[in-house]
Amino acid sequence: MVDVLELVEARLRMTLGEPDARAAVTFLGTERIEVLRFSDGDLVRYVTLGMSRAPMNDPLAAVADPLRGPRAELVLSLRAGRADTDKVLRPLAVLAASPQVEGVVVAPGNSLDVGEPLWPGAPFAAVLVAEPGGLVADLEPDEPVDPVRFFPLLPMTHTEAAWKRVHGAGALQERWLRYGTDLRDPARGAVSLA
């Protein structure tokens, strides 16, 4: 069977170009997770590589299927030069390892929280998982392996994350749209929630 991670990295290179940096993190009891950095003008994109190695399985399932099940990688796009965002590598790897460590099945509308700033001084400790298929198209390996989806991550302030828990992901996204929130600005404040 073909190595899913090789296909994922080839898709990323085809879509985003050559990464200008990469780092690897290994957590006890998990496979290695890499984070690749791609620079694109005034944007920097951080993409995980390793989360899709195995399918995400329901933690309550009696038996985990080693081939079938949703697979994903995470994509974070930020404006370059406004904060020391390269320190996001470890928190991103933590989020990417959450299916292996905590049995989380990542899907659009989920909140993922690392419990500390995503980078030094960041007003964000959580992200909202957005719909895939925009920047990086889904990767469809040969059967029986399910597609790999590339989920954009939208940083949330503490108040936005709390508001989302009460009102839902759709309502928060509507707020961001209504107020023209630049979700790529690493120094932005919370959107008006009144």
Side-chain angles (χ1 to χ4, degrees):
M1 188 170 96
V2 118
D3 182 355
V4 172
L5 294 187
E6 286 180 14
L7 296 175
V8 167
E9 186 164 359
R11 171 61 57 89
L12 292 173
R13 289 174 187 271
M14 183 179 74
T15 305
L16 303 173
E18 288 296 315
D20 57 8
R22 67 192 306 150
V25 180
T26 304
F27 303 100
L28 185 64
T30 67
E31 298 279 348
R32 180 170 116 148
I33 301 284
E34 290 188 83
V35 179
L36 283 59
R37 184 183 71 192
F38 299 87
S39 296
D40 181 17
D42 72 334
L43 291 177
V44 60
R45 302 185 196 280
Y46 301 95
V47 185
T48 62
L49 179 64
M51 184 177 172
S52 62
R53 178 182 287 110
M56 296 179 281
N57 289 296
D58 182 343
L60 301 177
V63 177
D65 189 325
L67 295 176
R68 291 210 161 276
R71 293 175 188 255
E73 295 293 352
L74 307 175
V75 181
L76 177 65
S77 298
L78 298 168
R79 300 225 176 271
R82 297 189 184 178
D84 186 13
T85 58
D86 279 350
K87 303 285 189 203
V88 77
L89 301 176
R90 183 170 176 74
L92 262 184
V94 167
L95 296 177
S98 62
Q100 289 181 57
V101 175
E102 299 170 21
V104 173
V105 177
V106 177
N110 287 162
S111 297
L112 302 175
D113 194 324
V114 293
E116 60 185 37
L118 291 174
W119 55 85
F124 319 105
V127 294
L128 176 65
V129 179
E131 291 290 334
L135 178 64
V136 183
D138 293 350
L139 172 69
E140 307 238 1
D142 294 335
E143 286 289 330
V145 177
D146 284 6
V148 177
R149 294 190 161 57
F150 298 87
F151 290 120
L153 300 180
L154 310 174
M156 294 187 292
T157 65
H158 295 291
T159 55
E160 289 170 339
W163 199 85
K164 182 256 178 197
R165 281 192 294 277
V166 174
H167 300 282
L172 178 58
Q173 289 176 309
E174 286 174 20
R175 285 271 173 177
W176 284 335
L177 284 172
R178 182 184 318 157
Y179 289 97
T181 306
D182 181 0
L183 298 173
R184 295 175 176 170
D185 182 353
R188 74 172 179 86
V191 69
S192 174
L193 300 171

